[in-house]
Amino acid sequence: MTTTTASAQREFALPLRRMLHAREAGVFAALVLLFVLGSVLSPSFAQSDNLLSVGQQVSQMGIMAIGVTFVILNGEIDLSVGSTYALSAISTGILISDGWSWVWAALVGLAVGAVAGLLNGLAVVVLGVPSFIVTLGTLSVFRGVALLISDGAPISLSSSQTGVADFNLLGQGLLFGVIPMQFVFFAVIAVAGAVLLSRSRFGFNTYAVGGNQEAARLVGVNVKRVKLTAFVLSGFTAALAGVLGLSFLSYVQGVTGQGMELTVISAVIIGGAALFGGSGTIWGTVIGVAFIGLLQNILNVKGISSFWQTVVTGLVIVAAVAADTWQRRRKSRA
């Protein structure tokens, strides 16, 4: 074997070894097995049209999951993202219906989500209230505000309204006539999130705070700023998903997005993020999102009741958390 060949093999093996030893390797293997199972159960499962459809269906959940990942890595939780989703979508819809430019209306909707995240973060880092309690409360508060400003009535956008057709392209459009625009937004947010987490000081500080908050504080990390930023990112991504949801359906009501927070958090945990912070990646979250999307698609293709789908998804979540707990105990004993 020549030196050049041996060097080439080492260069190939290094990233492969890193991937196989990564926290997400087990979830990725399960994702591959799930894909194979779907292909066996349904000939149409692996067709590009179906996979692109799955990509579009999980995009809103995926965008929200990217933001929630930062919160969970800090050892916190955000249960209000489903309500933020609805509040931002309704705010955008009301403004468009009132004759605002869809661009400005969408920007206001995004700002509403960022402010919602900021309020969550301030309650956690300034008042010292546990994030579970804070976001459990704002889950109801933001939902209530959404119902109040809409008078409990649904908001529908007509393509005959000025600018609505252009706005709908955000959610209904196809890049190059093939790739759903929602999936494009998801991909961009995922890449941006991965770069922010792995290549920036903020990302390093996020892991430090989640791993050991007191130690991070002692070495000069501004713990409050890191957590506050994470909650703002979570609110912003929930708002972006809400705006895209409105663009896709041209319809929103106060109860829209109920239960989404559980699916989003599930994707992050299934993707390998530690429930108590300090461990996880954006790519793991993407894998978790893909896993839930493929699982739901297989169940739909086989005509499984939505009630059973809820049961199966819940069992997968329990299994993922149990696996994380087992792995942590094994490491502590080593």
Side-chain angles (χ1 to χ4, degrees):
M1 180 183 297
T2 65
T3 303
T4 302
T5 303
S7 177
Q9 289 182 345
R10 284 195 298 271
E11 290 179 0
F12 174 78
L14 183 58
L16 180 62
R17 192 179 300 113
R18 286 175 179 172
M19 182 186 73
L20 291 176
H21 285 83
R23 184 179 181 82
E24 301 79 15
V27 184
F28 182 76
L31 179 65
V32 172
L33 290 175
L34 190 64
F35 183 85
V36 173
L37 175 64
S39 301
V40 171
L41 292 176
S42 174
S44 62
F45 175 80
Q47 293 180 358
S48 59
D49 288 346
N50 183 61
L51 295 180
L52 286 172
S53 176
V54 172
Q56 176 164 281
Q57 291 167 10
V58 303
S59 293
Q60 293 174 36
M61 173 182 66
I63 290 170
M64 297 168 73
I66 299 302
V68 170
T69 299
F70 286 93
V71 174
I72 290 180
L73 287 177
N74 274 280
E76 305 291 349
I77 198 76
D78 189 352
L79 299 173
S80 68
V81 288
S83 298
T84 302
Y85 173 100
L87 179 59
S88 298
I90 282 180
S91 300
T92 302
I94 289 175
L95 293 178
I96 292 177
S97 298
D98 287 344
W100 281 47
S101 162
W102 71 264
V103 175
W104 285 107
L107 290 175
V108 170
L110 295 177
V112 166
V115 170
L118 178 64
L119 293 175
N120 283 334
L122 288 173
V124 172
V125 305
V126 176
L127 300 181
V129 183
S131 58
F132 178 86
I133 301 300
V134 169
T135 58
L136 183 62
T138 54
L139 178 153
S140 296
V141 172
F142 298 157
R143 180 74 60 187
V145 172
L147 289 167
L148 283 170
I149 63 176
S150 63
D151 289 326
I155 296 172
S156 298
L157 301 179
S158 172
S159 57
S160 62
Q161 294 175 255
T162 304
V164 170
D166 293 332
F167 175 65
N168 286 344
L169 291 176
L170 295 178
Q172 302 175 12
L174 299 174
L175 182 65
F176 307 124
V178 177
I179 306 174
M181 282 301 300
Q182 289 195 73
F183 185 75
V184 174
F185 277 103
F186 175 33
V188 171
I189 293 297
V191 171
V195 171
L196 181 62
L197 188 58
S198 62
R199 302 290 183 180
S200 71
R201 180 175 295 275
F202 170 72
F204 174 81
N205 290 343
T206 295
Y207 284 116
V209 171
N212 190 319
Q213 180 174 310
E214 184 60 23
R217 186 186 65 79
L218 291 174
V219 298
V221 175
N222 191 325
V223 174
K224 291 183 178 180
R225 181 185 300 170
V226 172
K227 289 191 175 186
L228 195 61
T229 303
F231 276 105
V232 171
L233 287 174
S234 181
F236 176 82
T237 52
L240 176 58
V243 171
L244 290 176
L246 174 64
S247 173
F248 180 66
L249 296 175
S250 292
Y251 176 89
V252 65
Q253 55 182 331
V255 296
T256 297
Q258 282 187 335
M260 286 187 73
E261 59 278 345
L262 299 180
T263 306
V264 168
I265 293 172
S266 301
V268 179
I269 300 304
I270 290 172
L275 188 58
F276 302 106
S279 180
T281 66
I282 295 298
W283 300 126
T285 295
V286 171
I287 294 173
V289 169
F291 185 92
I292 290 179
L294 290 182
L295 178 62
Q296 291 178 341
N297 184 255
I298 291 173
L299 295 175
N300 284 330
V301 168
K302 299 305 294 182
I304 305 298
S305 165
S306 60
F307 303 130
W308 277 109
Q309 292 185 34
T310 302
V311 171
V312 172
T313 303
L315 290 174
V316 170
I317 295 167
V318 172
V321 175
D324 173 65
T325 302
W326 175 79
Q327 188 175 28
R328 280 176 171 269
R329 288 179 178 174
R330 189 183 66 170
K331 286 184 177 180
S332 65
R333 293 171 183 170

